[in-house]
Amino acid sequence: MFNSLFGTITAKYPQTLYIETNGIEWDLSVPDTSLDALPHVGEQGRVYTWLLHRDDSMKLFGFASAEDRSLFLDLLKVDGVGPKGALKILSSVSSEQLVSVLDGGDVGKLEKFPGVGKKTAQKMMLALKGKLTLSENTASPRGKPDTPYSDLIISLASMGYDKSLVEQKVSLIVESLSKDPSFQSKTDKEREELIFRRAIVEMA
């Protein structure tokens, strides 16, 4: 079985990557966080793979690192989290954030992830808390650093909004509000609530 594909990135779409190797273009399902970390379209890169093989279909999944792939496979061990669910979770949160939330025992934050209800969050905590480790080199230089409002972005994305659009909208709102002296005098919680309400209105 192949471990990875190395070739030219030919296209990127939400949770989808095309990569060409030796004249063959592969269609892979990839978490959005891995898409951000992989090279730009037209550049060469390596994608770590996992093949889902069923009686009636085959689907290839891709990841920016072997660690991300391992975390995806760990999620599949949780009852109620299938490949699609694991892909949605890893599209809304980085591997580092997910491990941090699990190790911290924060069930409330887990419930904010797409497709994760209270029961599934509890199962994830029981199955994975304290059992996940990431290499110090997991983060890619192309990866996006956490923002001060990463939890807010996760909450909005879990409501069905496109994560990349949410990030852009929150960034624009923060830039606009930062010029308002009254915004600077608010507490962190008040700032988040204001940004959240404004983002909902502007993306409606």
Side-chain angles (χ1 to χ4, degrees), residues 75 78-82 85-86 88-89 92 98 101-102 106-126 158:
L75 286 173
V78 180
D79 183 31
V81 179
K88 286 183 179 180
I89 293 171
S92 65
L98 180 56
V101 170
L102 286 166
D106 197 333
V107 176
K109 281 190 176 181
L110 281 181
E111 292 178 22
K112 295 180 181 179
F113 298 156
V116 179
K118 186 174 183 179
K119 289 185 178 179
T120 302
Q122 292 173 341
K123 290 178 181 178
M124 289 174 63
M125 197 64 68
L126 288 172
S158 69

Side-chain angles (χ1 to χ4, degrees), residues 21-89:
T21 63
N22 299 317
I24 300 174
E25 187 176 49
W26 302 82
D27 178 356
L28 299 93
S29 294
V30 178
D32 289 334
T33 48
S34 280
L35 282 177
D36 292 338
L38 287 164
H40 300 297
V41 173
E43 297 180 352
Q44 288 194 321
R46 182 175 299 280
V47 185
Y48 292 85
T49 58
W50 178 75
L51 178 65
L52 173 63
H53 189 188
R54 291 174 173 162
D55 291 340
D56 57 349
S57 65
M58 288 191 295
K59 194 172 188 64
L60 193 60
F61 290 79
F63 307 89
S65 68
E67 288 85 358
D68 285 349
R69 179 178 58 189
S70 294
L71 184 54
F72 173 84
L73 295 176
D74 284 330
L75 286 173
L76 296 186
K77 299 175 184 177
V78 180
D79 183 31
V81 179
K84 289 184 179 179
L87 192 70
K88 286 183 179 180
I89 293 171

